[in-house]
Amino acid sequence: MYKLAIHTSFAAAHCLINYQGDCENLHGHNWKVEVNVTAQELDKAGLGIDFKILKQETNSILRTLDHKYLNELAPFKDLSPSSENISRHLYNELSKRLNDGNVKVESITVWESDNAAATYYE
């Protein structure tokens, strides 16, 4: 079994729903995203998955969030766009694109600051 990881980022605004405090107000983050996938076997080139493909698929999803007000987007219409919910959304969307019996999304970690992160995995 092999484990591969990439780091990327996006910037967006949000406000937390059902939250008492400053974060219920409109504010933004420069989120960092860590994607971890596993691969059971390597291809003919000796790769579990090409990092280029992993980055392209991840960044394609992140473009739908980048420089947006997350509360207005379909995935977060009735769901607070917390780091926890963003990581689950990314996990689900990337799993649809990459999971193929060999490659599997293992976890997504979303950092909203240098000191605070949420990870989603199944």
Side-chain angles (χ1 to χ4, degrees), residues 1-5 35-51 54 101-107:
M1 184 73 79
Y2 301 89
K3 183 174 178 178
L4 299 94
V35 174
N36 290 286
V37 301
T38 59
Q40 294 179 19
E41 302 292 332
L42 302 180
D43 65 14
K44 290 183 242 176
L47 306 175
I49 184 172
D50 190 332
F51 283 123
L54 187 53
N102 182 47
V103 173
K104 181 183 183 308
V105 176
E106 180 185 65
S107 66

Side-chain angles (χ1 to χ4, degrees), residues 4-17:
L4 299 94
I6 62 162
H7 293 177
T8 187
S9 62
F10 73 100
H14 73 155
C15 54
L16 296 180
I17 301 168

Side-chain angles (χ1 to χ4, degrees), residues 73-120:
L73 301 180
F76 305 107
K77 279 289 188 188
D78 299 313
L79 184 66
S80 187
S82 62
S83 294
E84 292 86 344
N85 285 328
I86 294 167
S87 64
R88 183 178 59 199
H89 169 69
L90 296 174
Y91 178 96
N92 290 336
E93 292 302 308
L94 199 56
S95 292
K96 290 177 196 174
R97 296 177 184 215
L98 296 180
N99 291 4
D100 65 5
N102 182 47
V103 173
K104 181 183 183 308
V105 176
E106 180 185 65
S107 66
I108 304 285
T109 300
V110 175
W111 293 83
E112 69 175 39
S113 73
D114 288 340
N115 302 311
T119 300
Y120 184 82

Side-chain angles (χ1 to χ4, degrees), residues 10-15 26-27 29 31 62 64-77 79-83 86:
F10 73 100
H14 73 155
C15 54
L26 178 64
H27 65 285
H29 297 282
W31 274 282
L62 293 182
T64 68
L65 307 179
D66 192 42
H67 286 82
K68 302 282 189 327
Y69 176 41
L70 299 179
N71 296 69
E72 295 180 340
L73 301 180
F76 305 107
K77 279 289 188 188
L79 184 66
S80 187
S82 62
S83 294
I86 294 167

